Amino acid sequence: MMQEADARSPDRWWRNGVVYQVYPRSFQDSDGDGIGDLQGIRHRLDYLAELGIDALWISPVFPSPMADFGYDVADYCDIDRSFGTLSDFDALVADVHARGLKLIVDFVPSHTSDRHPWFIASRSGRESPKRAWYLWRDPAADGGPPNNWLSNFGGPAWTFDAASGQYYGHTFLKDQPDLNWRHPGVRAAMLEAMRFWLRRGVDGFRLDVLYHVVKDALFRDNPPNPAFVPGMDPSQRLLPVHTADRPEVQDVLAEMRRVVDAFSDRASTRVLIAETYLPIERLTAYYGSDAQGALRGAHLPFNFHLIGVPWQAEAIDRLVRRYEAALPEGAAPNWCSGNHDRSRIASRVGPAGARLAAMLLLTLRGTPTLYYGDELGLGDVAIAADDVQDPLERNQPGLGLGRDPVRTPMPWSDLPQAGFTTGRPWLRLNGDWARRNVAAQTADAGSMLQLYRRLLALRRQHPALHCGAWLPLGVSGDLLVYARVRDDERIVIALNFGAGNVEVPPGLVAPAAQVWLSTALDREGELAGRPMLRPHEGLILGS
Ligand code: NOJ
């Protein structure tokens, strides 16, 4: 059982605070082009500050042909005109900091856009000084791709360049050629791009697919995945042993860490949040460790395991225990229940489940990352075939892989287009936007938004909730009970994952405890005794 050393000192914001992911295209448009932008985010900062979050992570806003909506970067040191300008960015940083919040930008180290000048030069011929900045290989003996590696977005991970007679590698779209991080020039240029944003005042980076940045030096074939069955994502046909989570990735991470550490001081730590879709025992390796055993990798290697876990008390209890046990000493845990790539929590577990999920996410030990719109209970929005934007869906239609449904505009009010834009939104709004929007939920005392506000406020107010130990108190049937404990404070959280009433077993809740919060927002102050939970209800009990 781990106990945090101190609470809210400024250099610990990333351990004790809450991160909120903004998908900039969909948050707030300020110029009527139907695409959210930096000025739009600035207009909504008061909303975020009042919600009670501590840091915003914004998905990529750099110049990009938008083949993968910004995850194909054509210039690491500028802002795409659809989002604004560098001065808009500077103004955003200033406004974020003025509210005591932090700003995390998305850094895409694994690949560039094929329109990036580096790749244009690399592609110009085998003699180009930039040739080795990317992964170029001769064809196999039969003229086909050099090995069997698959793109995560469908088809082979290799595209033939007829002019030079070689293939280049890409883990994602052919418009996203993979960088060669073994090349010192690539390392120097990319680390310098990180410094560019650190000098502009960003508080850290979310590192896109960090675990993919280095591939096997010998370009060996990946072995078949024995667990693959038809119907699964076709890119999972092979085990990515030579293309993901290579030991060399740790060296890259250590270099990135040195870069952010050089910009950190007692007043503010600049952080690395790594995208790590990996089993628990592998993602914990991304905390890194130097010769003395100090953690010198990512401050927060993303823990995505709540996204896939069966929605049952026992499975969740087991997951939390496993994760807690696997964490290296001193490591900061973290949790999230969705993002711009995965089905929204409200669609996965239903509206009542989503309330329970909010309580779970905000009461587990560690930094939660919230996904914009989840605080309204927004679900996946069906997108008609003709309106599909996501290349993943376009490349492999009908497999259910598309991510447009989770990237729809934030509904702010019942104004036209939900106050998101004065133009035509780039993706349609949720069908129920006239009722499910920020203004309506602000006015409704029982809304999901009010639940989030209460949860965030309680979490901020009580050290046990933002930095206390996690103490499992057991599972009985559909009921999961745990406590958060710090010094004399002991707060019990009881979550009912079932459709029937359940009673908290005797002895777990102090006799004088009260209900501090119910997911239904209607029991505050009730004496706890042996509390009964209604179907899908969660309670926070304290004294
Ligand atoms: C992971 C990002 O979250 C996803 O949106 C993107 O398509 C891929 N990386 C490629 O950059």
Side-chain angles (χ1 to χ4, degrees), residues 144-305:
N147 65 23
N148 72 350
W149 294 354
L150 296 173
S151 157
N152 289 359
F153 281 179
W158 297 99
T159 288
F160 188 61
D161 175 57
S164 64
Q166 284 192 310
Y167 283 85
Y168 66 88
H170 50 89
T171 306
F172 295 91
L173 299 174
K174 66 175 178 27
D175 325 52
Q176 294 167 294
D178 284 344
L179 280 165
N180 173 16
W181 272 82
R182 295 178 194 275
H183 193 290
V186 169
R187 287 191 183 220
M190 292 297 278
L191 298 177
E192 194 47 33
M194 293 175 81
R195 289 188 198 99
F196 175 88
W197 295 105
L198 289 163
R199 282 188 211 106
R200 296 197 105 86
V202 304
D203 299 286
F205 302 94
R206 176 263 189 187
L207 302 171
D208 187 63
V209 291
L210 178 73
Y211 58 113
H212 274 308
V213 289
V214 187
K215 319 283 182 313
D216 182 36
L218 301 175
F219 294 89
R220 286 169 287 188
D221 276 354
N222 276 329
N225 176 2
F228 182 79
V229 287
M232 271 167 75
D233 176 346
S235 71
Q236 291 182 18
R237 198 156 48 76
L238 304 176
L239 290 175
V241 294
H242 297 305
T243 45
D245 193 22
R246 305 278 318 157
E248 301 92 326
V249 176
Q250 299 293 335
D251 306 333
V252 172
L253 177 56
E255 285 197 54
M256 292 175 166
R257 177 64 184 255
R258 282 194 285 276
V259 169
V260 290
D261 280 354
F263 283 82
S264 297
D265 52 37
R266 279 298 293 172
S268 187
T269 305
R270 315 285 184 105
V271 303
L272 297 176
I273 305 179
E275 190 187 28
T276 41
Y277 277 105
L278 294 168
I280 287 177
E281 33 315 323
R282 288 304 311 153
L283 80 86
T284 51
Y286 285 70
Y287 286 102
S289 126
D290 65 10
Q292 287 71 44
L295 301 181
R296 283 284 172 267
H299 298 77
L300 302 169
F302 258 129
N303 163 15
F304 294 119
H305 289 270

Side-chain angles (χ1 to χ4, degrees), residues 8 29 54 66 132 157 216 230 262 288 326 415 419 475 498:
R8 298 193 75 85
D29 179 22
D54 298 85
M66 301 290 164
D216 182 36
L415 289 171
V475 171

